[in-house]
Amino acid sequence: MQIHMWWLDLDVRSKEWLRENLRAEEIPLNVMQNIAEAGGPHPASVEGVLTEADWDFIETQSEFVD
């Protein structure tokens, strides 16, 4: 599922962590679990939790006022 479909349902603390750690190599387990709970990719996916397009969205399209 594309990030814009689940981003609004992601908790604010996870959003803040993603913004502050843009393109991080490793994402904490609690953030990955929150992404999955919001409807995003499951942490067990082989290709990783976030794609380059997801990171681009976080960097350019996500709003800081959630």
Side-chain angles (χ1 to χ4, degrees), residues 17-66:
W17 189 94
L18 291 167
R19 289 180 184 124
E20 292 169 4
N21 298 278
L22 196 61
R23 301 185 194 285
E25 293 284 326
E26 294 183 25
I27 298 173
L29 182 59
N30 66 314
V31 175
M32 291 191 301
Q33 288 172 332
N34 290 335
I35 289 171
E37 290 171 7
H42 193 273
S45 65
V46 177
E47 66 276 357
V49 175
L50 298 175
T51 65
E52 282 300 312
D54 294 337
W55 286 117
D56 289 344
F57 175 89
I58 293 166
E59 182 176 23
T60 63
Q61 299 296 318
S62 69
E63 294 183 18
F64 286 88
V65 180
D66 292 313

